[in-house]
């Protein structure tokens, strides 16, 4: 259920960004430290069915620039911008002329990028658009943090009941049973530390 909530927040954010700016598409990339890549976690609009799960190098494209700089941006004439990866865009079925992107950030840590392709900015303007997109990114990040905290609490609660069972095992039984309990305790601690 936590994963379902996590996915729904990301999908809802991309839909809302696309609709807010009457854009062709919107995506959220999250930074995967282990793979050192940006991963499409949710997408709405053109190419949405083929993008989720696709990863790009963390330093590639406009999204990579936003990840590294931590700055939101509007790029008009994207195909003329040196940061734009035209080949990748062509593979998605959409080569945008305008790209708007904002970091998904929490306490100074950039977790990913919210990007909108071919937004309609004429009635709002670049500055107001960036402010709105940054607010959407901030809200999605806050919701993700709450879900992450919920997941950690659930894991800790599960670990708490396991610890109680292990404590009971440690207090009773044979030496072999106590040794087994210590091994299980160490395994549980190792799992908690790696999550």
């Amino acid at each position: 259920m936590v994963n379902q909530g996590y996915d729904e927040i990301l999908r809802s954010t991309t839909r809302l960004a696309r609709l807010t700016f009457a854009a062709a598409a919107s995506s959220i990339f999250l930074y995967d430290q282990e793979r050192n890549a940006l991963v499409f976690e949710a997408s709405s609009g053109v190419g949405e069915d083929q993008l989720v799960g696709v990863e790009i190098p963390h330093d590639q494209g406009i999204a990579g620039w936003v990840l590294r700089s931590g700055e939101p941006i509007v790029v008009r004439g994207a195909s003329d911008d040196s940061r734009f990866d035209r080949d990748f865009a062509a593979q998605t079925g959409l080569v945008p002329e305008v790209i708007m992107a904002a970091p998904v950030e929490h306490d100074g840590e950039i977790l990913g990028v919210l990007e909108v392709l071919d937004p309609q900015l004429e009635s709002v303007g670049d500055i107001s658009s960036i402010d709105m997109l940054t607010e959407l990114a901030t809200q999605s990040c806050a919701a993700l943090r709450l879900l992450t905290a919920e997941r950690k609490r659930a894991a800790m609660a599960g670990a708490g009941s396991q610890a109680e069972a292990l404590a009971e095992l440690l207090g009773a039984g044979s030496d072999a049973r106590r040794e087994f309990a210590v091994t299980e305790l160490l395994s549980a601690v190792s799992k908690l530390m790696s999550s």
Side-chain angles (χ1 to χ4, degrees):
M1 181 162 176
V2 171
N3 286 336
Q4 182 181 3
Y6 178 87
D7 291 342
E8 186 52 37
I9 286 170
L10 296 177
R11 283 192 302 270
S12 177
T13 299
T14 59
R15 282 191 305 265
L16 185 56
R18 183 179 56 80
L19 293 171
T20 298
F21 298 105
S26 178
S27 297
I28 287 185
F29 305 81
L30 293 181
Y31 178 61
D32 185 319
Q33 290 180 340
E34 289 179 13
R35 294 185 275 189
N36 200 23
L38 281 167
V39 180
F40 281 88
E41 293 291 335
S43 187
S44 177
V46 177
E48 70 181 60
D49 296 334
Q50 62 187 13
L51 291 175
V52 174
V54 172
E55 60 183 68
I56 62 171
H58 77 287
D59 57 354
Q60 182 174 320
I62 303 295
W65 182 88
V66 170
L67 178 74
R68 290 186 317 278
S69 72
E71 297 293 325
I73 191 171
V74 174
V75 178
R76 293 179 182 274
S79 58
D80 296 328
D81 192 289
S82 62
R83 297 167 290 194
F84 181 63
D85 186 347
R86 185 176 182 76
D87 292 336
F88 179 78
Q91 292 173 15
T92 69
L94 175 63
V95 179
E97 275 304 306
V98 179
I99 298 175
M100 183 170 58
V104 176
E105 183 177 1
H106 179 73
D107 287 341
E109 179 186 4
I110 300 174
L111 307 175
V113 176
L114 174 58
E115 190 174 75
V116 179
L117 306 179
D118 284 336
Q120 303 302 310
L121 305 177
E122 292 73 26
S123 64
V124 182
D126 289 1
I127 301 292
S128 294
S129 297
I130 290 251
D131 288 345
M132 287 191 297
L133 187 64
T134 299
E135 192 61 33
L136 280 171
T138 300
Q139 285 182 352
S140 67
C141 187
L144 289 173
R145 284 296 188 186
L146 286 172
L147 283 172
T148 300
E150 180 183 320
R151 188 181 334 186
K152 285 182 180 177
R153 274 195 303 277
M156 293 300 283
S161 61
Q162 289 175 347
E164 289 171 13
L166 288 172
E168 188 177 311
L169 286 173
L170 285 172
S174 67
D175 288 340
R177 188 173 171 103
R178 281 190 212 105
E179 186 176 326
F180 170 76
V182 168
T183 302
E184 289 296 303
L185 178 59
L186 291 173
S187 174
V189 168
S190 176
K191 287 178 185 174
L192 280 175
M193 298 298 281
S194 64
S195 64

